[in-house]
């Protein structure tokens, strides 16, 4: 958390950099297994900042902001799996490689690398992302997968077969120019 704050501070203090941001980014995950109840949730309040001068990107989301179809599933997610009182946030700090805002006409695919921190544990992420620029907005879309055990999330044996071994994360961010 401290590292993300420092990165966000450095990014925001550089007055010569063009920045894009959102506080309403959409982050979804699916951990469903066929023939069982869907295990999926949406978080529509991810904060993201993108420095267009160097492609650095940082995001932060509150774990309790994930919304499930079933309230009981949401309660189990927060209390039993994510321990969201102890670990209330997930963060990502990284870089969009070879990013050039002038080359996004109308869209381009880039590679993003960085560190995802969930439950206090860092995991390197490498994923392709589609970036579209329309007017003064940038749209960033990507999908990648993680494994619960990478973040020491223990799945009880009674539900192990009902939850996917890999969780699919989908991000859809609409970033506006910060002036």
């Amino acid at each position: 958390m401290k590292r993300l704050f420092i990165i966000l501070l450095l990014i925001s203090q550089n007055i010569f950099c063009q920045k894009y941001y959102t506080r309403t980014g959409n982050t979804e995950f699916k951990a469903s297994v066929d023939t069982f109840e869907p295990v999926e949730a949406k978080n529509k309040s991810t904060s993201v900042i993108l420095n267009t001068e160097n492609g650095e990107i940082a995001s932060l989301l509150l774990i309790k902001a994930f919304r499930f179809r079933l309230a009981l599933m949401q309660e189990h997610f927060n209390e039993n799996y994510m321990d969201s009182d102890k670990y209330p946030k997930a963060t990502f700090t990284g870089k969009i490689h070879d990013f050039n805002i002038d080359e996004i006409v109308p869209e381009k695919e880039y590679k993003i690398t960085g560190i995802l921190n969930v439950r206090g544990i860092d995991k390197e992420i490498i994923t392709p992302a589609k970036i579209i620029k329309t007017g003064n907005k940038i749209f960033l879309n990507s999908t990648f997968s993680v494994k619960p055990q990478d973040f020491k999330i223990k799945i009880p044996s009674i539900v192990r077969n009902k939850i996917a071994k890999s969780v699919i994360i989908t991000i859809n961010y609409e970033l506006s120019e910060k002036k």
Side-chain angles (χ1 to χ4, degrees), residues 40-91:
E40 54 193 45
K42 294 180 181 182
N43 182 322
K44 294 183 178 182
S45 59
T46 305
S47 294
V48 182
I49 189 162
L50 168 63
N51 180 331
T52 59
E53 295 294 316
N54 59 18
E56 290 178 350
I57 187 166
S59 65
L60 178 139
L61 66 79
L62 297 176
I63 299 298
K64 286 187 177 183
F66 276 106
R67 298 293 171 239
F68 289 76
R69 191 171 63 84
L70 302 173
L72 185 60
M73 197 176 284
Q74 186 167 322
E75 182 181 329
H76 286 287
F77 171 79
N78 283 303
E79 293 176 7
N80 301 336
Y81 300 111
M82 296 303 291
D83 197 7
S84 57
D85 285 334
K86 185 175 180 181
Y87 306 104
K89 300 172 184 171
T91 61

Side-chain angles (χ1 to χ4, degrees), residues 8-52:
L8 286 174
L9 184 63
L10 290 174
I11 289 173
S12 66
Q13 293 302 314
N14 190 342
I15 59 175
F16 297 110
C17 293
Q18 188 176 20
K19 296 172 283 287
Y20 282 73
Y21 77 101
T22 186
R23 290 188 179 124
T24 58
N26 188 22
T27 303
E28 302 178 15
F29 78 82
K30 293 184 181 184
S32 302
V33 175
D34 292 340
T35 71
F36 289 106
E37 185 74 36
V39 179
E40 54 193 45
K42 294 180 181 182
N43 182 322
K44 294 183 178 182
S45 59
T46 305
S47 294
V48 182
I49 189 162
L50 168 63
N51 180 331
T52 59

Side-chain angles (χ1 to χ4, degrees), residues 16-21 50-56 95-110 131-140 175-179:
F16 297 110
C17 293
Q18 188 176 20
K19 296 172 283 287
Y20 282 73
Y21 77 101
L50 168 63
N51 180 331
T52 59
E53 295 294 316
N54 59 18
E56 290 178 350
K95 183 166 180 69
I96 303 171
H97 292 272
D98 300 318
F99 183 80
N100 183 337
I101 195 165
D102 297 324
E103 292 179 358
I104 311 170
V105 182
E107 70 181 58
K108 187 169 180 180
E109 189 163 300
Y110 289 92
I131 299 178
I132 301 166
K133 185 169 186 309
T134 304
N136 65 345
K137 295 196 181 282
I138 292 177
F139 298 87
L140 187 148
L175 308 162
S176 299
E177 190 171 1
K178 186 172 184 174
K179 297 181 182 196

Side-chain angles (χ1 to χ4, degrees), residues 106-118:
E107 70 181 58
K108 187 169 180 180
E109 189 163 300
Y110 289 92
K111 179 172 81 169
I112 297 177
T113 60
I115 302 297
L116 175 65
N117 182 286
V118 176

Side-chain angles (χ1 to χ4, degrees), residues 117-172:
N117 182 286
V118 176
R119 298 182 80 235
I121 299 170
D122 290 341
K123 168 86 173 139
E124 183 179 23
I125 300 295
I126 301 170
T127 185
K130 182 170 76 169
I131 299 178
I132 301 166
K133 185 169 186 309
T134 304
N136 65 345
K137 295 196 181 282
I138 292 177
F139 298 87
L140 187 148
N141 305 298
S142 183
T143 300
F144 58 94
S145 66
V146 295
K147 294 182 176 173
Q149 67 262 26
D150 290 343
F151 302 100
K152 297 185 181 175
I153 299 171
K154 294 183 172 127
I155 311 295
S157 59
I158 195 163
V159 294
R160 192 170 295 138
N161 293 333
K162 297 178 182 181
I163 299 174
K165 292 182 183 358
S166 288
V167 177
I168 306 299
I169 310 289
T170 302
I171 59 171
N172 292 296

